[in-house]
């Protein structure tokens, strides 16, 4: 019976519940637009990255992690979204993070440019790139095929992250896996230094009207949030505060292997969720399933994720 049912479903292009479903040729719609007051935000997908999220999670019993992911119908390895965010405000086009570029080729990431173009933009349209932190899946898209992607943009990098990852002496002393991260930082950011395109920023600094950099340290020493505020509305772009949504919203004490300071990352996550749940502003994540925008609310000892509802019309019209 099961064999016959599987055959029938396969003929219909479906599969049994619990088996993997995938897009033909890995292609999906790669951008999504929302408004925040007078700002227009276009979420740009750089694709996904396949990761074993059971092994990725730390500071929590592996059996519990496996059960939570199983209950959420997450097979291993699973696809984690790589999201970037294009902000149009005050006549400027400002991109937050750039995805992985071709660093994770051939399968993971690498779709930022094509999806940016699908949304009606080219890299030359971007006035500024704001980087939440220097990790390959956030700065990799600054380069592609060995060439600079954003030839006319200013690149804004957290000063604490720049000091940490671009420290030549530390890079020479580093051992794997950190050495690889140091090397990637130079590959992605290095070509922008001689042309004077790099700008570093401090927490609390207003980078553009309505866009302020805030402390989000833990994942990396300079991990930063960007607070967007317009017409009484607020959204925090919070980078890598969450990697495994099915676990970390309910258990914000759970960190991941990529966190430089796992304890600090968990404390930062809990503080963010508590504040966002009390005050009700929007959150936008780089690795929560595309488009990665929504709210959190308190739920028992943890929190629940409420993704943005799908919409196609401007609510102002």
């Amino acid at each position: 019976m099961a064999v016959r049912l599987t055959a029938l479903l396969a003929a219909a292009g479906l599969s049994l519940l619990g088996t993997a479903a995938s897009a033909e040729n890995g292609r999906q719609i790669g951008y999504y637009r929302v408004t925040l007051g007078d700002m227009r935000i276009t979420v740009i997908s750089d694709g996904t990255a396949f990761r074993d999220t059971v092994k990725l999670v730390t500071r929590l019993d592996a059996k519990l992690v496996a059960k939570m992911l199983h209950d959420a119908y997450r097979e291993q390895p699973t696809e984690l979204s790589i999201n970037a965010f294009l902000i149009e405000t005050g006549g400027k086009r400002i991109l937050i993070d750039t995805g992985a570029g071709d660093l994770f080729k051939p399968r993971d990431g690498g779709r930022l440019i094509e999806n940016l173009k699908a949304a009606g933009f080219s890299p030359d349209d971007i006035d500024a790139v704001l980087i939440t932190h220097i990790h390959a899946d956030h700065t990799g898209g600054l380069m592609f095929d060995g060439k600079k992607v954003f030839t006319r943009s200013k690149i804004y990098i957290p000063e604490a992250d720049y000091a940490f990852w671009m420290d030549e002496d530390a890079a020479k002393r580093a051992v794997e896996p950190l050495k690889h991260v140091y090397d990637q930082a130079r590959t992605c950011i290095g070509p922008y230094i001689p042309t004077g395109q790099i700008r570093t920023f401090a927490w609390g600094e207003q980078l553009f009207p309505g866009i302020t950099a805030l402390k989000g340290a833990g994942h990396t020493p300079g991990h930063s949030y960007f607070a967007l505020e317009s017409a009484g509305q607020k959204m925090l772009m919070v980078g890598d505060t969450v990697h495994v949504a099915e676990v970390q919203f309910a258990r914000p004490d759970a960190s991941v292997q990529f966190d430089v300071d796992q304890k600090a990352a968990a404390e930062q996550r809990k503080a963010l969720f508590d504040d966002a749940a009390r005050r009700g502003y929007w959150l936008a994540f780089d690795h929560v399933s595309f488009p990665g925008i929504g709210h959190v609310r308190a739920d028992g000892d943890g929190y629940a994720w409420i993704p943005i509802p799908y919409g196609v019309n401007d609510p102002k019209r």
Side-chain angles (χ1 to χ4, degrees), residues 92-115:
K92 299 288 187 181
R93 291 167 174 162
I94 301 162
L95 182 67
I96 297 179
D97 286 338
T98 68
D102 54 6
L103 292 181
F104 295 169
K105 62 184 181 184
R107 180 174 65 174
D108 296 349
R111 298 182 182 176
L112 180 84
I113 297 174
E114 67 184 72
N115 286 328

Side-chain angles (χ1 to χ4, degrees), residues 63-121:
K63 290 182 179 179
L64 175 58
V65 173
K67 182 180 187 307
M68 294 175 76
L69 290 166
H70 177 268
D71 290 348
Y73 299 95
R74 279 294 215 175
E75 297 183 350
Q76 303 304 321
T78 193
E79 291 179 86
L80 298 180
S81 289
I82 306 175
N83 304 323
F85 303 89
L86 177 60
I87 317 302
E88 294 176 85
T89 180
K92 299 288 187 181
R93 291 167 174 162
I94 301 162
L95 182 67
I96 297 179
D97 286 338
T98 68
D102 54 6
L103 292 181
F104 295 169
K105 62 184 181 184
R107 180 174 65 174
D108 296 349
R111 298 182 182 176
L112 180 84
I113 297 174
E114 67 184 72
N115 286 328
L116 195 63
K117 290 179 178 178
F121 305 96

Side-chain angles (χ1 to χ4, degrees), residues 31-297:
Y31 68 92
Y32 186 75
R33 288 195 173 99
V34 298
T35 57
L36 183 82
D38 297 323
M39 295 180 176
R40 186 168 81 157
I41 302 169
T42 305
V43 188
I44 306 292
S45 174
D46 188 52
T48 62
F50 281 80
R51 297 292 183 268
D52 186 330
T53 49
V54 174
K55 295 179 179 178
L56 183 61
V57 174
T58 62
R59 305 183 78 246
L60 201 61
D61 181 74
K63 290 182 179 179
L64 175 58
V65 173
K67 182 180 187 307
M68 294 175 76
L69 290 166
H70 177 268
D71 290 348
Y73 299 95
R74 279 294 215 175
E75 297 183 350
Q76 303 304 321
T78 193
E79 291 179 86
L80 298 180
S81 289
I82 306 175
N83 304 323
F85 303 89
L86 177 60
I87 317 302
E88 294 176 85
T89 180
K92 299 288 187 181
R93 291 167 174 162
I94 301 162
L95 182 67
I96 297 179
D97 286 338
T98 68
D102 54 6
L103 292 181
F104 295 169
K105 62 184 181 184
R107 180 174 65 174
D108 296 349
R111 298 182 182 176
L112 180 84
I113 297 174
E114 67 184 72
N115 286 328
L116 195 63
K117 290 179 178 178
F121 305 96
S122 78
D124 287 340
D125 294 327
I126 307 304
D127 296 293
V129 178
L130 310 186
I131 299 297
T132 58
H133 64 292
I134 300 179
H135 268 168
D137 50 337
H138 301 263
T139 58
L142 291 171
M143 302 291 294
F144 204 94
D145 197 24
K147 299 177 181 178
K148 289 198 297 185
V149 173
F150 302 97
T151 56
R152 60 169 293 271
S153 310
K154 298 298 183 184
I155 314 299
Y156 289 74
I157 299 175
E159 60 183 13
D161 245 36
Y162 190 88
F164 185 83
W165 295 112
M166 301 301 287
D167 184 325
E168 293 185 5
D169 290 334
K172 291 176 182 177
R173 296 192 304 269
V175 296
E176 295 297 359
L178 276 183
K179 185 180 186 307
H180 192 54
V181 181
Y182 278 105
D183 291 344
Q184 287 177 330
R186 279 153 182 72
T187 297
C188 300
I189 294 169
Y192 287 85
I193 297 174
T195 53
Q197 291 174 263
I198 300 295
R199 298 286 187 273
T200 60
F201 62 82
W203 294 317
E205 185 177 343
Q206 185 179 76
L207 304 178
F208 295 91
I211 303 180
T212 303
L214 301 177
K215 181 180 179 179
H219 178 61
T220 67
H223 187 252
S224 300
Y225 300 158
F226 298 111
L228 311 184
E229 297 185 78
S230 177
Q233 298 184 43
K234 180 176 179 178
M235 179 183 294
L236 249 59
M237 326 301 285
V238 295
D240 276 13
T241 302
V242 167
H243 288 80
V244 187
E246 298 81 7
V247 174
Q248 290 180 292
F249 283 110
R251 292 295 302 265
D253 55 320
S255 292
V256 296
Q257 293 175 350
F258 303 138
D259 292 332
V260 174
D261 187 331
Q262 296 184 6
K263 182 175 182 291
E267 292 171 348
Q268 182 68 41
R269 183 166 38 256
K270 175 67 169 64
L272 172 68
F273 289 174
D274 182 65
D275 189 61
R278 286 189 295 104
R279 298 172 60 189
Y281 50 77
W282 293 99
L283 295 176
F285 296 88
D286 285 28
H287 297 305
V288 171
S289 289
F290 181 84
I293 295 175
H295 290 96
V296 294
R297 63 172 173 81

